[in-house]
Amino acid sequence: MKTARGQSWKSLRITRNKTINTKPGKPTMALLAFLLLGFLTMSACGSAGMKPEEKEMTDAPLDTVQATAQNAAQDTAQNTDTDAAVPAESTGSASSAEAGEKPDEGAILLDSASRSQTMDGFGTSGCWWAQDVGTWDVSVKDRISDWLFDREKGIGLTQYRFNAGAGGLNEAKDPWRRVETFETAPGVYDWTKDAGSVDMMKRAVARGVDDVLIFANSPPGRMLKNGRTTGDDIGNPNLIPGMEDDFARYLVDIADHFKAEGIPVRHISPVNEPQWNWKLDNGQEGCHYEPKGVLEVGRALVLELKARKSSFTASLVDSGKMWDAKYTVDLYGKLAGDKELSAWLPHFAVHAYWSSEEDKRMLAAAIRNSGYDLPLWQSEWCQMEGGKDFGMESAMVLARCVHEDLTILDCTAWQTWIAVSRYDYKDGLVYVDTASKTAEDMKRLWALGNWSRFVRPGYIRIAAESPDKNLLVSAWLSPMSDEVVLVVVNEGTNDISSNISSLPDSGTSSVPQTMTVWETSAAHNLEKVSEGNTDACMFPARSITTLVMR
């Protein structure tokens, strides 16, 4: 659907410099005045860091929880187009008929009266690359850091998960899976250790990262039954009973040190993927916990934070799989319903590995049925498939995962696992050659940037949907209500032209000054392809496009 030159901004007006109420369900006049205005008719423009490939669940999902969630997820799917950007429960749009206008039936429809989550950010982790790459030539480190964290030269990630290495007896054959611990004796630390990892974290912060989380894949060897930081010999719990307090002090000591160094540490997460039976065969740091053990470690951490009157939050646990009734659904309820722990818990983190759209809809339904509103973070993902890919194939896989997690689960953060890879695997955002110590970017990096560079912390997701099943759409409103970011993923093999409409508004405002369009496709790496009042154009096949409307 093409429009004439100069018509792109005909009916969009913006209320500027008004603070909005970010509490769900209470739209303000500033928010409504931004998008509920006439019809917006314009064109969308377009001129192994691997985890173990096989991890065993220690327990199958609970049948009753699964059945309930499946039924609720099916009800949701029946009431919404599964390829549309907004799940049925998030739509909440006032009908255009009530306003006396009829939207363009073929257009992408935006509705700022229907709001969902407020974003905390997008990020990545320092596993399993930073300890090595952080010792390389400065020019290579700067290039990688710019790509990942600089908003002008790269994708502007704002969150960073720092792995507090466990050291000890780590028999992993891959040296990238062995990380030094700072601890030399109980309560004694050598802060010159793991210098590469610390260097890369500092480079990330220098480029704009303002949300650092300290996490552990395993406690240090002295706290473990067999001393092996790769896990128990047969995958059972490995933390020595009674060592929970030592482990908590160890993590808070590390967080306190880096905060004193000027690192913006906000969170501590002691338990990562507790459901997997971590043992030597997995080839990396890891420690299995039963849910009871997760709660015991969590209580010890909270007591330590209270004793120090700390400002850190207790992220507590990252579940290794989205649809896992025991370690995701049940543990979510136990943590969110615990008065002592929930007071320190800002979110519940899950990993998107192996998770289908149905898995995500079942989890969303289970969380709604839980009665709790603890936000979700998606804190680890890679494609889990062998073979390098520098092109759009894996970028489109990433794009669908990001879109689903943000629109089905209302995740308030989205983070990749391994940012930098040397493996023949579809995992990192940057590939490196350890022999020549060189780095190369890839389409996955820039695809994530269509969200991370523009959807900043504090942006609020508003309703957006497309009648075209090949278009996945999501829209975001800035905290000052002076900018809307629309991200469109064209999964189809053909270019698609589409107008954009908003529901009518009753107010007044000024006309926006700019619209910029950024594209990641076979031809572009998150490049600006148009700006201002543009001719009608289209979303290219197999692409991710971001429209920034100010």
Side-chain angles (χ1 to χ4, degrees), residues 452-480:
S452 61
R453 186 190 283 183
F454 307 104
V455 181
R456 307 301 288 175
Y459 277 48
I460 304 163
R461 187 166 71 85
I462 61 175
E465 54 188 14
S466 170
D468 193 314
K469 293 185 178 182
N470 285 311
L471 296 184
L472 309 178
V473 297
S474 62
W476 309 82
L477 181 66
S478 67
M480 295 299 293

Side-chain angles (χ1 to χ4, degrees), residues 112-380:
S112 64
S114 177
R115 294 181 295 164
S116 300
Q117 76 271 32
T118 300
M119 285 303 295
D120 292 325
F122 293 84
T124 191
S125 82
C127 288
W128 295 105
W129 58 277
Q131 73 273 25
D132 183 20
V133 175
T135 66
W136 292 9
D137 185 80
V138 170
S139 63
V140 179
K141 294 190 291 187
D142 281 344
R143 186 178 307 117
I144 291 172
S145 299
D146 286 346
W147 281 337
L148 294 171
F149 307 110
D150 190 280
R151 199 177 177 190
E152 300 296 326
K153 300 175 184 177
I155 67 172
L157 299 176
T158 60
Q159 296 180 314
Y160 193 81
R161 295 174 72 223
F162 180 86
N163 175 29
L169 180 58
N170 185 328
E171 298 169 331
K173 295 179 181 179
D174 184 350
W176 268 31
R177 307 303 171 89
R178 299 196 293 266
V179 184
E180 290 182 304
T181 179
F182 299 112
E183 188 185 70
T184 58
V188 180
Y189 302 93
D190 179 354
W191 300 114
T192 66
K193 290 184 177 294
D194 198 17
S197 296
V198 174
D199 181 84
M200 294 309 297
M201 176 172 62
K202 289 181 176 179
R203 290 175 189 278
V205 170
R207 287 161 174 79
V209 165
D210 62 1
D211 188 354
V212 173
L213 179 146
I214 305 294
F215 82 103
N217 287 298
S218 169
R222 73 173 179 87
M223 303 180 192
L224 302 174
K225 295 175 183 177
N226 65 358
R228 291 187 173 92
T229 58
T230 46
D232 177 75
D233 296 343
I234 58 173
N236 286 333
N238 203 21
L239 182 66
I240 298 171
M243 277 291 178
E244 293 83 4
D245 291 344
D246 273 31
F247 188 30
R249 283 191 292 271
Y250 163 81
L251 290 172
V252 180
D253 284 349
I254 293 172
D256 277 344
H257 167 77
F258 284 121
K259 183 178 179 181
E261 293 275 302
I263 302 297
V265 179
R266 296 191 189 181
H267 319 286
I268 299 174
S269 179
V271 178
N272 196 56
E273 299 188 339
Q275 59 261 69
W276 308 135
N277 298 118
W278 292 103
K279 50 191 174 184
L280 178 60
D281 292 346
N282 294 131
Q284 65 184 56
E285 291 180 352
C287 186
H288 173 71
Y289 298 85
E290 287 296 310
K292 179 183 177 183
V294 175
L295 295 172
E296 290 170 348
V297 170
R299 294 190 195 287
L301 178 58
V302 164
L303 287 174
E304 187 67 23
L305 293 173
K306 281 183 176 180
R308 301 195 195 192
K309 298 181 180 179
S310 178
S311 63
F312 304 130
T313 71
S315 184
L316 293 188
V317 63
D318 288 51
S319 177
K321 196 171 188 291
M322 284 185 167
W323 181 245
D324 180 338
K326 180 177 178 180
Y327 279 92
T328 303
V329 178
D330 188 52
L331 197 53
Y332 175 94
K334 287 179 177 177
L335 292 173
D338 187 298
K339 291 183 179 180
E340 181 183 26
L341 295 179
S342 62
W344 291 81
L345 187 65
H347 53 256
F348 185 89
V350 293
H351 299 169
Y353 306 115
W354 309 289
S355 297
S356 66
E357 180 178 336
E358 181 183 3
D359 292 335
K360 296 171 187 182
R361 292 194 182 280
M362 288 195 298
L363 176 57
I367 287 176
R368 286 196 304 274
N369 291 336
S370 76
Y372 300 111
D373 59 359
L374 184 65
L376 287 181
W377 277 19
Q378 192 295 118
S379 56
E380 285 189 21

Side-chain angles (χ1 to χ4, degrees), residues 12 24-25 27 31-32 34-37 40 80 84-95 103 107-118 403 406-408 410 459-467 471-478 483-488 499-504 549:
L12 178 65
L31 180 64
L32 294 173
F34 190 90
L35 279 175
L36 304 181
L37 293 170
L40 169 62
T80 186
V86 184
E89 63 272 13
S90 299
T91 301
S93 303
S95 71
I108 294 170
L109 180 64
L110 308 180
D111 178 9
S112 64
S114 177
R115 294 181 295 164
S116 300
Q117 76 271 32
T118 300
H403 172 81
L406 297 181
T407 61
I408 295 174
D410 289 352
Y459 277 48
I460 304 163
R461 187 166 71 85
I462 61 175
E465 54 188 14
S466 170
L471 296 184
L472 309 178
V473 297
S474 62
W476 309 82
L477 181 66
S478 67
E483 177 177 284
V484 168
V485 176
L486 174 64
V487 184
V488 181
N499 295 333
I500 302 171
S501 291
S502 64
L503 293 176
M549 298 169 274

Side-chain angles (χ1 to χ4, degrees), residues 18-31 115 118 460 477 479 481:
K18 297 289 184 76
T19 302
I20 63 173
N21 182 349
T22 59
K23 293 183 179 180
K26 296 184 179 179
T28 64
M29 289 305 296
L31 180 64
R115 294 181 295 164
T118 300
I460 304 163
L477 181 66
S481 74

